[in-house]
Amino acid sequence: MDYIIIFVASVFVNNIVLSQFLGICPFLGVSKKVDSALGMSMAVTFVLTISTIVTFIIQKQVLDPFGLDYLQTIVFILIIAALVQMVEIVVKKVSPPLYQALGVFLPLISTNCAILGVAILVIQKDYSLLQSIVFAISTAIGFALSLIIFAGIREQLERTHIPRAMQGMPIALITAGLLAMAFMGFSGIV
C-alpha cells in the first residue's frame, strides 16, 4: 500500500513541476511541441531513475558512514553530471537511433533541477531503496504527464487567436498556472 501512495502522491498530488516547482526550465522551454516533450520525458525518466539509485547508494554507503553528509549536494551534482555523460556515450554506441531521438535532451538533463531535487528528497524522506525507485519512477511519470499535457495545450494555443500582448511566455505562464490549479484537485486523494 505504501508504494501505491508514493506513486499517486508523486504523479498527481505532489507533482514535481506543478506543486514543487522543480524542473520549470525544461517545462517551459521544451514544451512547444508534443514530440520534443515526449523525447525529454523519456530521457528524464531514464536518468532520474538511474541517478536516484546511484545517489541513494552513495549516500548510504559512503557519505553517511564517514560523516560526509555536508558534501551531499556537491557529490550528487557530480554523480548526475557523470551519469548523464555515461548514458550519452552508452546510448550513442548501443543504439544510434535512440541517441538521435534523444538528441539535445540528454545534455539538458544534467541541468534539470528536478533530478537533483528527487535525489535529495529521497534522502530527506528517509525512503528505502525500493521506495526510492518507486518515487523516482513515479516522479518522472508525473513530470512527463505535466510536460506532455502542457505541450499539447501550447500546440493548440498556436492555432488560436491570442492578443498580441499575451502571445509567447505570458500565455504559457497563465496556462501553466491553470494546469497547476487543475492538479491541485487531486490533493484530497492522498
Side-chain angles (χ1 to χ4, degrees):
M1 191 66 171
D2 257 358
Y3 301 110
I4 295 171
I5 291 172
I6 290 171
F7 180 82
V8 171
S10 299
V11 173
F12 299 110
V13 180
N14 298 322
N15 188 286
I16 195 83
V17 176
L18 300 174
S19 71
Q20 296 183 14
F21 307 113
L22 294 172
I24 295 290
C25 294
F27 180 72
L28 292 173
V30 185
S31 63
K32 292 181 181 173
K33 301 271 185 224
V34 173
D35 295 341
S36 58
L38 282 169
M40 183 64 157
S41 298
M42 288 188 310
V44 165
T45 301
F46 186 68
V47 172
L48 185 65
T49 305
I50 291 174
S51 65
T52 300
I53 293 168
V54 172
T55 55
F56 180 87
I57 292 169
I58 295 294
Q59 178 74 35
K60 298 299 181 185
Q61 299 297 321
V62 177
L63 297 180
D64 285 348
F66 294 109
L68 301 172
D69 298 340
Y70 59 92
L71 294 174
Q72 180 188 57
T73 304
I74 295 170
V75 169
F76 283 11
I77 289 171
L78 292 173
I79 289 170
I80 291 166
L83 279 172
V84 168
Q85 291 300 314
M86 287 191 304
V87 166
E88 190 172 4
I89 291 168
V90 169
V91 168
K92 189 175 184 179
K93 288 188 179 194
V94 172
S95 177
L98 180 61
Y99 178 76
Q100 296 247 331
L102 293 177
V104 72
F105 302 121
L106 277 174
L108 284 175
I109 291 173
S110 60
T111 59
N112 188 344
C113 59
I115 308 291
L116 178 62
V118 168
I120 292 173
L121 282 172
V122 161
I123 302 302
Q124 287 177 349
K125 293 180 184 228
D126 200 28
Y127 283 155
S128 68
L129 182 59
L130 189 55
Q131 287 173 324
S132 300
I133 294 169
V134 170
F135 181 73
I137 292 171
S138 56
T139 300
I141 291 170
F143 177 84
L145 180 67
S146 60
L147 185 65
I148 293 167
I149 290 172
F150 189 58
I153 293 171
R154 285 185 78 178
E155 280 187 1
Q156 289 296 329
L157 285 174
E158 291 293 323
R159 297 183 184 117
T160 61
H161 174 70
I162 299 171
R164 190 167 173 230
M166 296 298 293
Q167 291 176 359
M169 197 51 66
I171 195 69
L173 292 173
I174 290 170
T175 305
L178 291 172
L179 189 59
M181 286 174 42
F183 269 69
M184 282 179 57
F186 294 113
S187 62
I189 292 176
V190 178

